[in-house]
Amino acid sequence: MRTILLVEDNEDDVFFMQQATKDARIENPMQVAENGQQAIDYLAGNGAYSDRDKFPLPFLVLLDLKLPLVMGMDVLKWIRTRPELETMLVVILTSSRESRDIEAAYRLGVNSYLVKPPTPEMLRELVKSIGDYWIVKNEPPVGVGRKPAA
Amino acid sequence: MLARDTPIRKKLMKIILFTSCVVLIMTTVAFLAYEVLTFRQNLTEHLSTVGKMIANNCNASLLYENRKDAAEVLSSLALEPHIVAACLYDTNNAIFASFPAAPPPSRFPPAPAVLGHHFENTHLIIFEPVIKDGKQVGVLYLNSDMGALFQRLQPYGGIAIVVGCCSLALAFALSDFLQRQISGPVLSLVETAKAISQRHDYSVRAPEQGKNEFGLLTDAFNNMLEQIHNRDLALHEAQQKLKDHADDLERRVAERTARLSETIAELESFSYSVSHDMRAPLRAMQGYSAYVQDKYADKLGAEGKIYLERISRAAKRLDTLIQDILTYSRISRAQLDLHPVDLDKLVDDIIQQYPGLQPPLADISIIRPLGCVVAHDAALTQVIANLLGNAVKFITAGQKPVVKVYAEPRGDQVRLWVADNGIGIAPADLNRIFGIFERIHPDKTYEGTGIGLSIVRKAIERMNGTTGVESELGKGSRFWIQLPVAQTQL
């Protein structure tokens, strides 16, 4: 099962996402990074994260924008400068539809931009469509996040 | 002779020389005339004397008809070089003797004229009676030319020319010297004026000139300069002040702009932070309420459910409010790129998006075509969605909203009307409804944040349009927005 990395500092949102994935019957393991620096460390395999059995490289990163230490946009920028992560699927999942954020994110090469819905029900719907689209239907690039051979 | 452009020096010299010439000529003419008159008088006297002498000498010859003696007497006239002809007439008026002895007969008048003298051309003619013993025995004719006069006048003429030339030379020298008295001050004024106009130095003064008219002129000129100088100084001072003021203003504008930019930046980061951080707790409130309702429904009881429902609704209202404020602030500051927008398609899309705008909940009819306007797609969508939303929202309970959307051209603009059958707006409220947070209905009847129409007005303003409303309480409202028409067909 390919891993999903959720970069989210708000524990409520982490809880809702975990509930929503469960409710949407997505069985992929979900790792959580609580801030931007942790996300970078995870992806780079720094320190404890070098253990790829325990912390496998994710095929999909769900990235919040407003994060402590390193902002989501900087995490995205960092990802896109790393040759081995260049093609990694990154989906922004954030609170606001600020047009400058949307513009900047796409300029930095994000794959999708989603806004957190207000109710659990709507979140479940959103997570379901993420699973349906990015996990089932989408053909990911070669390299990181490659689907296991059928 | 005195052309307008002639310099004053030459003019003055010409005037003096001309006057001198005229005086000189007049004097010469008068002198010559006097000379001529005197000469003629002397000549007449002299010739009369000669005539009387000749007449006395030949009266006997005439009486006794001695032609030889008479001729001899007449021949003595050869001593008078200017006498060109002379003759004696007898009592029969026939020529008795003549001088010269054998002249052409045409030289003498055929008969003696009136006695006395007279001038004929350049000749003096005298007829003198010849008297013997108190009885006239004949007439003597004498003809003298005026050669002597011209002989005498010749040196005079020479002298006159020499004196004239000398006088003119002297007059020229004098005029050249004297004209400076007049032209000097004028030229010095001119020089001063020139210097001022070239250098714009109003502190220069014309040199003092005494107390005559030039002095007065110079004083007046200097006074004028003084005034100009003062005004110039005042003007410079005023300009400097103005410049200082402008600089000061510019500096203050720059300062305020900087402060304003700072404030705007702060506001932006504030609204950014609002949109991210303030919504998260609301989501949590809604989320946990939903989970509690979901998973612990059996333990809640009816009242508990209601309270949870209220928490959830309050959170939702606050979330809507935050979103509306964010929309308003976004529309106020975002750059709105304007393009042609097809109103028919835009309105269709909006209605399709919101079930509340469709039958059976609402009856919205569109009178086509609505046309194309120059606008920002997303902002205009927001505007029309707000207007349609209001049109179906503010309705008497139990009534079905009937909304009409139509457009009319207004010069180079299009006015889009949204007319409803709703509760209408009291005249006193018409001006308030576009203000931010203005709500004219109590919360419970019609839910809302009071920002919808502010967004409409702000967005339309930012798209170079205008907006307004016509309404009467109980008779529905007719909201309109007006935007520049798009020339290019989509």
Side-chain angles (χ1 to χ4, degrees):
Chain A
M1 271 293 189
R2 295 171 297 162
T3 304
I4 297 170
L5 175 64
L6 175 68
V7 188
E8 175 60 69
D9 62 313
N10 186 317
E11 52 184 340
D12 298 326
D13 282 335
V14 173
F15 170 76
F16 292 134
M17 273 306 284
Q18 283 165 344
Q19 290 296 321
T21 27
K22 213 192 305 172
D23 293 347
R25 296 180 200 291
I26 290 171
E27 283 157 18
N28 296 55
M30 186 185 276
Q31 296 279 354
V32 177
E34 285 168 16
N35 60 57
Q37 189 52 53
Q38 219 174 56
I40 289 173
D41 287 342
Y42 186 109
L43 292 170
N46 294 337
Y49 295 113
S50 59
D51 181 359
R52 281 294 179 224
D53 289 334
K54 218 172 153 195
F55 304 107
L57 209 56
F59 85 103
L60 172 68
V61 179
L62 296 174
L63 184 62
D64 190 14
L65 285 181
K66 202 126 186 301
L67 294 169
L69 301 180
V70 179
M71 293 290 272
M73 211 60 85
D74 294 318
V75 176
L76 174 62
K77 209 184 284 175
W78 178 86
I79 291 173
R80 290 305 183 224
T81 54
R82 306 284 292 192
E84 74 275 17
L85 304 175
E86 224 175 15
T87 54
M88 175 171 277
L89 294 178
V90 180
V91 172
I92 299 283
L93 185 60
T94 189
S95 307
S96 93
R97 53 181 94 253
E98 286 278 324
S99 53
R100 60 173 171 167
D101 281 345
I102 298 172
E103 280 291 308
Y106 280 110
R107 258 176 230 293
L108 289 174
V110 83
N111 298 90
S112 182
Y113 191 108
L114 301 171
V115 177
K116 292 174 189 166
T119 64
E121 197 182 330
M122 287 163 84
L123 184 64
R124 189 172 57 237
E125 286 306 308
L126 185 72
V127 170
K128 209 185 247 176
S129 61
I130 290 175
D132 186 44
Y133 184 82
W134 289 110
I135 301 173
V136 179
K137 296 200 173 113
N138 185 54
E139 282 297 332
V142 181
V144 283
R146 188 87 185 101
K147 265 187 190 173
Chain B
M1 185 170 66
L2 293 173
R4 274 183 45 156
D5 298 338
T6 314
I8 186 162
R9 292 184 56 230
K10 284 199 175 157
K11 242 182 210 177
L12 280 170
M13 283 184 71
K14 275 184 179 174
I15 288 169
I16 294 171
L17 283 178
F18 179 70
T19 314
S20 308
C21 276
V22 168
V23 170
L24 203 62
I25 288 166
M26 293 295 281
T27 314
T28 312
V29 165
F31 179 72
L32 283 177
Y34 174 77
E35 270 307 309
V36 167
L37 282 176
T38 316
F39 178 79
R40 276 165 56 148
Q41 210 176 337
N42 290 344
L43 188 66
T44 311
E45 274 170 23
H46 176 69
L47 209 58
S48 292
T49 313
V50 171
K52 282 195 175 79
M53 254 166 54
I54 299 291
N56 268 336
N57 289 344
C58 44
N59 54 1
S61 314
L62 255 178
L63 189 65
Y64 305 110
E65 297 195 7
N66 188 342
R67 286 176 197 264
K68 197 180 157 224
D69 277 2
E72 211 164 295
V73 171
L74 286 184
S75 69
S76 69
L77 285 172
L79 292 171
E80 294 283 339
H82 296 296
I83 293 181
V84 293
C87 71
L88 275 171
Y89 297 94
D90 59 19
T91 46
N92 296 326
N93 290 343
I95 290 172
F96 178 74
S98 70
F99 169 83
S106 61
R107 197 180 257 192
F108 305 106
V114 187
L115 297 176
H117 70 272
H118 69 273
F119 289 93
E120 219 177 81
N121 297 328
T122 57
H123 292 258
L124 174 60
I125 311 276
I126 282 185
F127 290 100
E128 185 73 34
V130 180
I131 296 178
K132 181 67 182 172
D133 300 329
K135 192 181 152 211
Q136 189 177 335
V137 290
V139 174
L140 174 66
Y141 163 79
L142 281 179
N143 183 341
S144 170
D145 71 11
M146 307 280 272
L149 175 64
F150 298 115
Q151 242 173 30
R152 207 163 133 189
L153 284 183
Q154 244 169 18
Y156 278 125
I159 290 169
I161 288 168
V162 170
V163 169
C165 287
C166 289
S167 306
L168 273 182
L170 191 61
F172 181 82
L174 274 175
S175 69
D176 186 39
F177 173 69
L178 293 174
Q179 57 85 17
R180 287 169 206 270
Q181 303 265 326
I182 292 171
S183 67
V186 174
L187 290 179
S188 103
L189 271 183
V190 169
E191 283 308 312
T192 311
K194 237 192 242 173
I196 289 163
S197 67
Q198 274 167 8
R199 281 185 282 135
H200 301 289
D201 177 4
Y202 299 106
S203 59
V204 176
R205 293 288 174 273
E208 293 287 330
Q209 295 288 353
K211 286 292 163 212
N212 60 4
E213 289 86 342
F214 284 122
L216 293 178
L217 181 62
T218 309
D219 286 350
F221 184 72
N222 282 343
N223 272 338
M224 213 164 72
L225 278 183
E226 184 76 34
Q227 285 176 23
I228 295 175
H229 186 48
N230 287 342
R231 279 187 205 177
D232 192 47
L233 286 179
L235 190 70
H236 271 112
E237 207 177 314
Q239 276 175 342
Q240 190 56 46
K241 261 190 203 163
L242 209 68
K243 196 177 164 295
D244 290 350
H245 196 62
D247 288 350
D248 188 44
L249 228 88
E250 215 166 284
R251 193 175 44 73
R252 272 155 65 185
V253 166
E255 265 174 32
R256 284 194 193 166
T257 310
R259 239 183 297 159
L260 208 64
S261 312
E262 211 175 293
T263 312
I264 289 173
E266 274 172 20
L267 269 176
E268 272 182 26
S269 84
F270 171 76
S271 89
Y272 185 80
S273 149
V274 164
S275 65
H276 280 273
D277 298 345
M278 284 175 79
R279 294 184 65 197
L282 288 173
R283 251 195 337 269
M285 283 160 71
Q286 280 176 276
Y288 288 119
S289 306
Y291 274 111
V292 172
Q293 275 178 323
D294 225 25
K295 299 194 174 167
Y296 306 97
D298 47 333
K299 295 181 185 166
L300 274 174
E303 221 166 296
K305 271 185 191 168
I306 289 171
Y307 294 155
L308 269 182
E309 182 64 34
R310 286 195 173 180
I311 291 174
S312 182
R313 275 222 310 272
K316 191 163 183 291
R317 261 208 312 281
L318 185 52
D319 193 50
T320 314
L321 180 60
I322 290 173
Q323 281 196 63
D324 280 355
I325 292 174
L326 289 176
T327 305
Y328 182 80
S329 117
R330 208 160 29 227
I331 268 177
S332 303
R333 63 194 157 80
Q335 191 187 333
L336 299 182
D337 295 324
L338 304 181
H339 305 284
V341 176
D342 183 354
L343 284 174
D344 293 87
K345 186 174 175 302
L346 193 93
V347 172
D348 284 347
D349 287 351
I350 292 168
I351 293 174
Q352 209 177 4
Q353 215 178 325
Y354 296 96
L357 301 177
Q358 299 162 13
L361 294 175
D363 177 9
I364 297 181
S365 57
I366 302 165
I367 298 166
R368 297 174 197 278
L370 297 175
C372 290
V373 291
V374 178
H376 183 262
D377 209 309
L380 189 57
T381 303
Q382 179 89 51
V383 165
I384 294 176
N386 284 9
L387 288 180
L388 289 175
N390 279 353
V392 300
K393 181 163 90 178
F394 294 101
I395 191 90
T396 313
Q399 212 177 342
K400 184 180 180 185
V402 177
V403 181
K404 221 160 79 176
V405 181
Y406 55 98
E408 59 173 346
R410 290 249 169 170
D412 54 358
Q413 298 205 315
V414 174
R415 181 174 282 197
L416 183 78
W417 289 91
V418 178
D420 62 45
N421 62 338
I423 53 175
I425 302 158
D429 296 325
L430 279 178
N431 288 327
R432 279 175 46 207
I433 52 167
F434 287 102
I436 194 159
F437 297 128
E438 291 284 5
R439 305 201 57 233
I440 54 178
H441 300 289
D443 258 358
K444 283 180 184 166
T445 335
Y446 301 103
E447 254 191 40
T449 56
I451 303 174
L453 286 176
S454 312
I455 292 172
V456 168
R457 171 149 289 181
K458 181 58 83 177
I460 293 291
E461 247 171 48
R462 302 254 358 244
M463 294 187 285
N464 311 318
T466 45
T467 172
V469 62
E470 289 173 5
S471 181
E472 240 178 278
L473 213 51
K475 294 193 174 172
S477 305
R478 304 200 306 147
F479 281 87
W480 57 264
I481 55 170
Q482 196 169 312
L483 287 166
V485 69
Q487 299 301 341
T488 46
Q489 285 299 310
L490 292 169

